[in-house]
Amino acid sequence: LFCRIVPTVFDDGRTGVSIILEDITSQKKAEDAKKESEEKYRTLVNRANDVICVLQDGVIKMFNPRLPEFWGGSEEEIMGRPFTDFVHPDALPELISNYNRRISGESFPSLYETTMMRKDGSRSFVELNAGVIMFEGRPADLVIARDINDRKRVQEALSRSEELYRTLSEA
């Protein structure tokens, strides 16, 4: 119950108080459900092994703890920076185009591979899964980036092995 005490002057001129009780059970249940939902969301995003971030107007607006680990820097160095600062120059034109196409509502595959750049300048291969969401009342890009460096190394080793086998079999 929510209790409100209001100073009152009665019809006969005496002063007193009016006590108003309001049943706020449903409001409290809704608030508790919202808190629980937010906690589940926070846990899911923060515990993910993949980088999860929100880009709006080309700027990083939100991210999970995996991004600073992956990039090699601090949260302060990341927040509010253009996403292009984290893209390898070779991949920049395609990634900018994909971002602009997605934000403008054009339909195309949301899953693709690209090359990011770590703070130290090294390349890092990622698989991006991106899609438009509403964030703070405006369209934004929700991006999930999966580190695929191990997969790329295995593919490269397999390719070298196949080439060596082909060379040996032809000889």
Side-chain angles (χ1 to χ4, degrees):
L1 294 176
F2 178 73
C3 178
R4 196 174 303 144
I5 301 173
V6 181
T8 305
V9 176
F10 296 101
D11 291 339
D12 63 4
R14 290 183 300 138
T15 59
V17 294
S18 293
I19 299 174
I20 303 168
L21 297 176
E22 181 182 354
D23 183 356
I24 58 170
T25 304
S26 59
Q27 180 183 340
K28 284 294 186 185
K29 284 182 180 179
E31 288 173 6
D32 290 347
K34 182 180 177 187
K35 282 180 189 176
E36 183 178 341
S37 176
E38 289 172 350
E39 184 59 33
K40 285 178 184 176
Y41 161 79
R42 193 173 8 270
T43 300
L44 176 67
V45 169
N46 288 340
R47 302 268 328 246
N49 287 327
D50 295 336
V51 170
I52 301 173
C53 62
V54 174
L55 312 175
Q56 194 173 59
D57 302 323
V59 173
I60 297 174
K61 296 287 188 157
M62 187 190 105
F63 54 89
N64 69 345
R66 185 72 174 102
L67 180 56
E69 294 169 13
F70 178 80
W71 183 62
S74 70
E75 291 181 8
E76 294 77 21
E77 292 174 289
I78 296 170
M79 185 59 80
R81 284 182 59 184
F83 77 89
T84 53
D85 289 356
F86 304 89
V87 180
H88 193 274
D90 296 346
L92 200 52
E94 179 185 17
L95 214 59
I96 290 172
S97 172
N98 289 351
Y99 172 80
N100 289 332
R101 290 169 63 196
R102 196 170 24 261
I103 290 297
S104 70
E106 189 176 329
S107 179
F108 68 99
S110 61
L111 191 64
Y112 53 95
E113 293 180 7
T114 192
T115 310
M116 303 304 287
M117 189 169 57
R118 296 185 193 265
K119 183 178 179 181
D120 66 6
S122 63
R123 299 180 106 154
S124 186
F125 298 99
V126 295
E127 177 182 79
L128 293 183
N129 186 345
V132 176
I133 63 166
M134 290 304 286
F135 183 76
E136 297 178 345
R138 297 187 20 248
D141 200 13
L142 172 64
V143 179
I144 301 170
R146 175 166 290 159
D147 183 338
I148 59 168
N149 287 293
D150 291 339
R151 180 192 317 169
K152 286 290 190 183
R153 279 191 282 278
V154 168
Q155 287 173 340
E156 194 175 296
L158 180 60
S159 182
R160 283 194 307 267
S161 177
E162 287 173 347
E163 183 62 34
L164 178 61
Y165 178 74
R166 191 176 303 110
T167 302
L168 288 173
S169 68
E170 289 173 359

